[in-house]
């Protein structure tokens, strides 16, 4: 929950839609019913940020019954419009098999799209997949490159992996 609120705080002000901004404020105050009403209105209009945020609510069961399939549907709509964070979240759904059949290759594809836009969490997750050889040919070198790239952006888990779980390059 704290991680979600941190993400929401980080994206505050990034949305041009006033109703989405209001919904974000409601979410911060855990007034999910009010947020849901606004997000559903904007989502029906095709607003990518509203679709993404509504997806979060369904994924976490906030103000709605938890429904991974609905979250995937909403993330997909948003991801199709190029929203990096939605692409990353959708990648996680495929990685974990939540609301969809687990598919590491699809997860890699989505993480890559998001990573190409500079989204650090997607870059990190892609690094993990290279490290483990999930959906891609295992490459400690590629994993190490991605970990260093996101560590430079302040990604704490990547920094930890570099410092305490160094990858021996082959």
């Amino acid at each position: 929950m704290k991680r979600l609120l941190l993400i929401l705080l980080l994206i505050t002000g990034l949305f041009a839609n006033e109703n989405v901004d209001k919904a974000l404020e409601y979410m911060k105050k855990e007034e999910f019913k009010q947020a849901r009403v606004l997000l559903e209105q904007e989502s029906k209009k095709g607003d990518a940020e509203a679709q993404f945020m509504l997806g979060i609510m369904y994924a976490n069961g906030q103000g709605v019954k938890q429904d991974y399939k609905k979250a995937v549907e909403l993330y997909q709509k948003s991801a199709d419009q190029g929203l990096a964070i939605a692409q990353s979240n959708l990648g996680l759904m495929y990685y974990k098999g939540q609301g969809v059949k687990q598919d590491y290759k699809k997860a890699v594809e989505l993480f890559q799209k998001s990573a190409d836009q500079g989204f650090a969490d997607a870059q990190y997750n892609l690094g993990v997949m290279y490290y483990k050889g999930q959906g891609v040919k295992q490459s400690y070198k590629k994993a190490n490159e991605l970990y260093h790239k996101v560590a430079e952006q302040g990604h704490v888990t990547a920094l930890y992996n570099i410092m305490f779980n160094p990858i021996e390059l082959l």
Side-chain angles (χ1 to χ4, degrees):
M1 181 64 170
K2 287 181 183 176
R3 181 170 168 87
L4 170 64
L5 288 176
L6 176 62
I7 290 171
L8 291 174
L9 288 171
L10 291 173
I11 59 180
T12 301
L14 295 179
F15 302 139
N17 186 315
E18 189 176 318
N19 281 338
V20 173
D21 287 339
K22 286 180 187 176
L24 182 58
E25 292 301 317
Y26 283 130
M27 290 177 79
K28 286 185 214 175
K29 295 187 276 185
E30 298 188 17
E31 295 174 0
F32 298 114
K33 183 178 179 181
Q34 295 91 327
R36 181 179 48 83
V37 170
L38 292 173
L39 293 174
E40 284 176 348
Q41 289 172 1
E42 298 307 312
S43 180
K44 288 176 185 173
K45 295 177 189 175
D47 187 283
E49 289 85 8
Q51 292 163 341
F52 164 70
M53 290 172 60
L54 196 54
I56 288 174
M57 292 179 71
Y58 277 98
N60 295 314
Q62 295 169 312
V64 294
K65 184 176 182 203
Q66 188 175 46
D67 184 341
Y68 290 136
K69 288 184 180 184
K70 183 70 174 173
V72 166
E73 175 189 322
L74 290 160
Y75 287 154
Q76 184 69 61
K77 288 178 181 181
S78 184
D80 287 347
Q81 294 182 65
L83 192 65
I85 193 169
Q87 292 165 339
S88 183
N89 279 27
L90 185 58
L92 282 172
M93 300 300 273
Y94 276 96
Y95 182 82
K96 295 177 181 180
Q98 294 177 321
V100 291
K101 183 178 179 192
Q102 187 177 46
D103 185 341
Y104 290 147
K105 287 186 180 190
K106 183 70 174 174
V108 166
E109 175 189 323
L110 290 158
F111 288 145
Q112 187 66 62
K113 283 181 181 181
S114 181
D116 288 346
Q117 294 184 65
F119 192 65
D121 283 346
Q123 293 168 338
Y124 174 78
N125 289 335
L126 198 53
V128 170
M129 296 192 79
Y130 274 102
Y131 180 80
K132 293 180 177 181
Q134 295 173 316
V136 292
K137 182 179 178 190
Q138 186 177 41
S139 172
Y140 292 137
K141 180 179 180 182
K142 184 70 174 170
N144 195 41
E145 288 170 5
L146 287 161
Y147 288 163
H148 277 85
K149 185 175 188 173
V150 295
E152 289 172 7
Q153 297 174 57
H155 196 285
V156 177
T157 310
L159 185 58
Y160 176 87
N161 283 352
I162 292 167
M163 293 176 63
F164 297 107
N165 296 314
I167 300 171
E168 292 184 30
L169 300 177
L170 302 176

